[in-house]
Amino acid sequence: MLAFLLVAAVSAGTTAALTYREARNAVLQTAQDTAVTSFREHVETTAFALPVLGGDDLDELLRDIARKGKPHPWVVFAEYGSVRASSGENPVSTVITPELRRAARSPHGSFERVVKDGVPYLTIAMPMVFKASPDSELPSGLVLYAVMRMTDEQVNVDALLMAGRDGALPGLAVSLIPGLIAARSVLRPVRKLREAALHMGSGRLDTRIPVRGSDELADLARTFNKSAGQLEHSVRELREAEERARRFASDVSHELRTPLAGMLAVTEVLDEDADGLDADTARAVRLVSAETGKLAVLVEDLMEISRFDARAAELNADEVDVAEAIRKTLNHRHWTDDRIRTELPDGIRARLDPRRFDVVIANLVGNALRHGGAPVTVRLRTEPRSPGPHVLIADVVDSGPGIRPEALPHIFDRFYKADAARTRSAGSGLGLAITLENVKLHGGTIYAGNRPGGGAVFAVEIPLHVEGEGAGG
């Protein structure tokens, strides 16, 4: 639109300027040629007695020439040595310039346009000469000057300027109409494409653009609709596959719980009698018992993840003493030896789901003991946030080698193993993923990193005042 207006303005301005220049030159040239030709004829047909002595006769002669001025009256001045005369009141003109006086030495005379006090004048210089022969002329020393006001021509020129301006502005205004139509024809499809892209980004994959015409914008709309259809189909297939995978994991977990319960009961009995068996049988019994326990943990974790995926996990919040809740978690799992260090100030209370917070702390401490190094430090504190409420921060810091930089972005992924060589471990591979989901359910965040001196750090931040605790997650 701006480019169109610029071209229209330049075109209108250029046309008006050229028209004005040509008309102005024509007006001034006509008046100038008429005045110069007329003055030359009158000077050539007027007889002067030389030497010029001045007096009333000279003044009357100059007034006679002035009365014959065309196209407007003149004021005629005569200069001869020290003699100065004119047809007007002043014998000397303030309009005649030194440049014109120097140009008057030419036998053919000269002229010049001058603006004095805002008034335009035409000044003409015409020397008197003697014809010594048909091919030579001798200056007499007498120079006549004609000064003519060009006020009327200036009025006409100003009128031309006004006409050019008044003609250019409406033309520019009229050019806006096709400009707006052209811009609208381009911008409307682009605006619809932008709105469709925003709808697609917000998840409305059934968004389509109406196609009109057969130009490039119509082709773009068709391409967008085709791409949107393919994307919608692909996303639908992915969602269906994801839903089938979640349903499969949930169904398998449910189906495995009953036989696993029976297997756990059997392995407990076998564990009790393992000491009375021979060495190989006892070793096999303990291996079956351990693997059955791992399988039971994996099934429970899969069911928990399935509840998060199905948005069925609920937060049953209650006001708890956070330090006491962490101590119960450590005591329940017998993490009370010198492998665990705590910095748990009393008096910090928050609305938490005790069961889920217990899972968060237990998973982080267990992960630090298995994959980090003792001692493991559990710290508790609160910090202000601006804007927003204070946050509860629980840090779990181990003394191991830390987390490799390439593993940090994936540390909370399901079944991710930071050590590719570690194909088997005591955990299910879902502990940190479940921890992340439980923290999110509390409206908080969790961060993983490394200390400068070595060791991994996990920091849980939970707002101390969360609206809507107890609602479904």
Side-chain angles (χ1 to χ4, degrees), residues 45-89:
T45 58
T46 301
F48 289 88
L50 296 176
V52 178
L53 301 177
D56 294 338
D57 293 338
L58 180 59
D59 292 343
E60 183 60 32
L61 192 61
L62 295 178
R63 280 193 288 272
D64 182 62
I65 297 174
R67 283 192 294 271
K68 300 175 182 177
K70 294 179 182 179
H72 308 299
W74 301 330
V75 178
V76 182
F77 298 87
E79 295 183 359
Y80 182 80
S82 60
V83 177
R84 300 290 185 268
S86 75
S87 63
E89 298 178 356

Side-chain angles (χ1 to χ4, degrees), residues 292-305:
T292 303
K294 291 179 183 179
L295 184 57
V297 171
L298 175 59
V299 169
E300 290 298 327
D301 287 347
L302 284 173
M303 292 187 65
E304 185 72 4
I305 284 291

Side-chain angles (χ1 to χ4, degrees), residues 13 32 71 74 126 220 234 250 336 338 461 472:
Q32 175 182 292
W74 301 330
M126 196 66 64
L220 178 61
S234 299
S250 177
T336 56
D338 56 0
E461 295 186 5

Side-chain angles (χ1 to χ4, degrees), residues 169-249:
L169 291 180
L172 182 60
V174 170
S175 68
L176 284 175
I177 297 175
L180 289 173
I181 294 174
R184 183 177 178 83
S185 65
V186 173
L187 294 180
R188 182 169 51 190
V190 173
R191 190 179 299 113
K192 289 185 177 296
L193 179 62
R194 173 181 174 274
E195 293 173 354
L198 290 175
H199 292 162
M200 292 281 290
S202 63
R204 295 170 55 182
L205 300 181
D206 58 343
T207 302
R208 300 294 184 270
I209 303 175
V211 180
R212 297 185 179 90
S214 58
D215 56 5
E216 290 81 358
L217 291 173
D219 292 340
L220 178 61
R222 293 188 187 94
T223 303
F224 179 88
N225 291 340
K226 182 178 179 181
S227 301
Q230 293 174 346
L231 178 62
E232 182 182 15
H233 178 70
S234 299
V235 170
R236 186 187 302 114
E237 289 185 342
L238 288 174
R239 287 175 177 173
E240 291 174 355
E242 183 180 7
E243 179 62 26
R244 287 195 299 270
R246 284 200 300 264
R247 190 164 52 248
F248 174 78

